Amino acid sequence: MELNTIERDDIGAAAENLVVPAAATRKVFVKTYGCQMNVYDSQRMTDALAADGYAATDAIGEADLVLLNTCHIREKAAEKVYSELGRIRELKAERAKTGREMLVGVAGCVAQAEGAEIIRRSPAVDLVIGPQTYHRLPGVLARARSGEKIVETDYAVEDKFEYLPQPKRAELIRRGVTAFLTVQEGCDKFCTFCVVPYTRGSEVSRPVAQIVAEAERLADAGVRELTLLGQNVNAWHGRGENGEEWGLGRLLFRLAEIPGLARLRYTTSHPRDMEDELIAAHRDLPTLMPYLHLPVQSGSDRILKAMNRRHMAKDYLTLIDRIRAARNDIALSGDFIVGFPGETEADFEATMQLVEDVNYASAFSFKYSPRPGTPGAEMSDHVPEAVKDERLQRLQALLLKQQQDFGTSLIGRTIDTLIEKPGRQAGQKVGRSPWLQPVIVDEKAGEIGDIIQVRITKTGYNSLFAELA
Ligand code: SAH
Ligand code: SF4
Ligand code: F3S
């Protein structure tokens, strides 16, 4: 099957007698929620739509197609989509008055989780498309333009990445010197709080050749820093060019050979899949940045068990010791959930203790949000909202202090910075430290894409200020 072979001369013209612009002048507005995988998917959908005659726009009012790429991870994330759809319904009605159509599509994890329910709740929606079927977008849109309401949430048997068109080199250059590349999708771990196994399906790894080819194209377009993505990225495995079974560590060594790629990262990893070779990559591969996002969720063994994380707090701490022994300047980041059902004050104290023990450079923390269809939602002993609030505040105060201490510890040090983009203020450029902090430098310090040595002079709330070393 080939993409872009759909007849599009006369499609859609019948829909409510609205004017449907010719393919070449159609515009799409994409809004992305949720994790980096959605950011990557939005780019791939934009590429598929470009090949189908849709130019991207930042102005929702002029869009012939509005596509929301949604997140279902917490209730708030999912509800945001419905309030946005309320606003879009009005825009769509306004546009119809001027005789122009506005198709509305919902993609991503809410699409997969809620399917046809979305159209029942928000009749302005024309199409619902799950993450495993994005390569079918052009066909789905052709049907939507002729007035059909479509829900496409089957798990495709074909590999969507085989069919998604590659962006033009000019477009890749426009996207800048850092890029995401999804290497693994889905999850088989079934933590009891989490919707991902249901919204993204079971674990699938992309083949080595596909990944290497995409990384080479990105490097050729000037990408210096590449972040490999997966819901469980370190569960990635594949058959290497030598016929051997590879894990993520081997893949990183292979990607480090690509000329131009100066920095590699990966996210999000699970503590149970930190294999020796991946830890060795942190020791032996200078291209692999000394930063690791390794969520633990809780420091209490009882809660970890109830969450089905399948390791204990001390396993995590031992793992951190091994990783630090391999690379002593590694900065750690994590995710935490407070107020999981049954969490007592003592359980929460264990989380605070673990945070003290690890000392994170950055972290994300959330109040537990019961998600429909997950075992956690069915558990008894839900923690009152006020208790969750209070625990989250305490945890975030500690994490923020650790983050600021980490920033402060860098003052006076000379570090590498990849210059990424112009700064918000005139005369500045923004770079990125090895530990993922934004670094503000004078615009004359270097060109975008350069990796320069800078001395850190002071810290901002979330960033570092530096001068050329
Ligand atoms: N695969 C990653 C996590 C992906 S989801 C891992 O296993 O660590 C990103 C983060 O969202 C999780 O780490 C968790 O902290 C948070 N999260 C997931 N489900 C949640 C829920 N129901 N309520 C609150 N936070 C949740
Ligand atoms: Fe969700 Fe757990 Fe899978 Fe992470 S490992 S995506 S938290 S089920
Ligand atoms: Fe959200 Fe789906 Fe990512 S639920 S966090 S967009 S995998």
Side-chain angles (χ1 to χ4, degrees):
M1 192 184 96
E2 270 280 357
L3 270 180
N4 320 328
T5 53
I6 296 155
E7 296 295 328
R8 52 177 106 81
D9 307 344
D10 56 355
I11 32 183
E16 295 166 27
N17 293 324
L18 293 173
V19 180
V20 179
T25 58
R26 287 187 197 126
K27 289 191 174 151
V28 57
F29 174 88
V30 182
K31 182 159 181 178
T32 309
Y33 303 81
C35 63
Q36 292 103 325
M37 302 201 60
N38 265 11
V39 174
Y40 176 82
D41 286 347
S42 287
Q43 289 177 345
R44 298 300 301 259
M45 282 193 277
T46 307
D47 299 337
L49 290 166
D52 196 39
Y54 282 89
T57 175
D58 292 333
I60 190 168
E62 63 178 37
D64 304 291
L65 167 66
V66 173
L67 202 53
L68 303 183
N69 193 7
T70 63
C71 174
H72 202 246
I73 202 82
R74 285 167 290 275
E75 190 182 353
K76 254 197 199 143
E79 283 307 312
K80 250 189 225 163
V81 174
Y82 286 101
S83 48
E84 185 70 21
L85 284 172
R87 279 192 291 276
I88 290 170
R89 194 183 71 189
E90 287 165 25
L91 281 174
K92 182 172 174 155
E94 284 301 309
R95 217 175 131 82
K97 279 187 210 153
T98 67
R100 297 196 56 142
E101 187 182 41
M102 179 187 270
L103 285 180
V104 180
V106 176
C109 291
V110 177
Q112 190 63 42
E114 298 186 6
E117 177 62 21
I118 299 172
I119 298 182
R120 264 194 295 277
R121 255 182 94 174
S122 302
V125 173
D126 301 287
L127 61 116
V128 173
I129 184 162
Q132 303 314 328
T133 42
Y134 292 154
H135 56 302
R136 296 185 187 157
L137 249 183
V140 164
L141 277 171
R143 283 160 57 205
R145 283 192 298 262
S146 60
E148 200 183 327
K149 295 264 182 192
I150 299 162
V151 178
E152 180 91 23
T153 52
D154 292 344
Y155 288 116
V157 283
E158 67 276 18
D159 170 10
K160 71 174 169 193
F161 294 110
E162 284 286 341
Y163 297 104
L164 281 166
Q166 287 299 332
K168 298 227 157 51
R169 187 164 179 275
E171 175 58 20
L172 287 181
I173 292 171
R174 199 192 59 78
R175 284 178 192 169
V177 295
T178 61
F180 292 138
L181 199 175
T182 293
V183 299
Q184 180 280 336
E185 278 208 90
C187 181
D188 296 336
K189 294 229 167 21
F190 291 93
C191 301
T192 53
F193 52 81
C194 184
V195 293
V196 170
Y198 312 97
T199 62
R200 293 279 176 162
S202 51
E203 261 173 40
V204 178
S205 294
R206 289 179 70 185
V208 172
Q210 227 184 51
I211 295 166
V212 170
E214 190 166 328
E216 283 173 346
R217 251 191 314 273
L218 289 165
D220 176 58
V223 167
R224 308 298 321 275
E225 178 176 304
L226 183 65
T227 304
L228 307 184
L229 301 180
Q231 270 91 16
N232 256 315
V233 70
N234 53 345
W236 179 90
H237 60 93
R239 200 158 289 284
E241 289 143 333
N242 56 2
E244 282 171 19
E245 189 65 19
W246 285 9
L248 189 69
R250 275 304 287 278
L251 181 66
L252 286 162
F253 277 101
R254 173 65 184 88
L255 295 175
E257 291 169 8
I258 296 175
L261 285 185
R263 291 175 155 199
L264 295 172
R265 304 178 185 276
Y266 61 94
T267 197
T268 294
S269 28
H270 193 287
R272 285 194 39 113
D273 293 319
M274 284 305 296
E275 287 172 1
D276 293 345
E277 198 167 38
L278 186 52
I279 298 177
H282 280 287
R283 185 190 57 215
D284 300 332
L285 197 57
T287 320
L288 183 56
M289 289 294 97
Y291 177 94
L292 177 61
H293 184 64
L294 194 63
V296 63
Q297 317 297 353
S298 168
S300 152
D301 288 340
R302 223 173 55 78
I303 296 297
L304 286 169
K305 187 153 195 288
M307 286 176 163
N308 192 33
R309 293 292 289 185
R310 295 188 291 160
H311 66 76
M312 297 203 283
K314 85 167 174 346
D315 301 324
Y316 182 81
L317 293 172
T318 310
L319 177 61
I320 300 289
D321 286 344
R322 283 176 54 216
I323 295 166
R324 282 187 166 143
R327 177 96 204 220
N328 63 10
D329 69 340
I330 199 157
L332 287 156
S333 156
D335 289 345
F336 296 89
I337 295 178
V338 301
F340 187 78
E343 186 188 74
T344 62
E345 184 60 25
D347 293 319
F348 175 68
E349 284 299 338
T351 300
M352 294 289 278
Q353 186 58 52
L354 179 139
V355 171
E356 295 275 11
D357 291 344
V358 173
N359 194 12
Y360 288 92
S362 78
F364 303 89
S365 46
F366 313 97
K367 286 190 286 179
Y368 172 68
S369 167
R371 306 305 292 128
T374 60
E378 307 301 319
M379 289 178 185
S380 49
D381 279 347
H382 279 269
V383 174
E385 218 43 39
V387 176
K388 288 187 201 171
D389 279 328
E390 187 262 344
R391 287 182 188 162
L392 186 67
Q393 265 183 30
R394 277 157 66 196
L395 177 60
Q396 288 187 338
L398 176 59
L399 290 168
L400 181 64
K401 181 177 179 305
Q402 293 189 344
Q403 181 182 324
Q404 287 172 340
D405 287 350
F406 178 62
T408 311
S409 75
L410 296 172
I411 293 175
R413 277 187 56 189
T414 298
I415 66 167
D416 280 349
T417 295
L418 167 63
I419 310 240
E420 227 187 312
K421 56 189 174 195
R424 258 189 236 139
Q425 283 177 33
Q428 293 181 337
K429 281 200 179 101
V430 183
R432 204 184 271 211
S433 81
W435 308 283
L436 225 46
Q437 298 125 309
V439 182
I440 318 289
V441 292
D442 187 278
E443 68 174 344
K444 292 190 209 71
E447 295 305 317
I448 289 170
D450 289 350
I451 294 174
I452 58 169
Q453 293 241 300
V454 298
R455 192 173 317 99
I456 305 302
T457 53
K458 60 176 184 173
T459 62
Y461 179 72
N462 190 21
S463 54
L464 303 170
F465 290 82
E467 61 193 17
L468 208 53

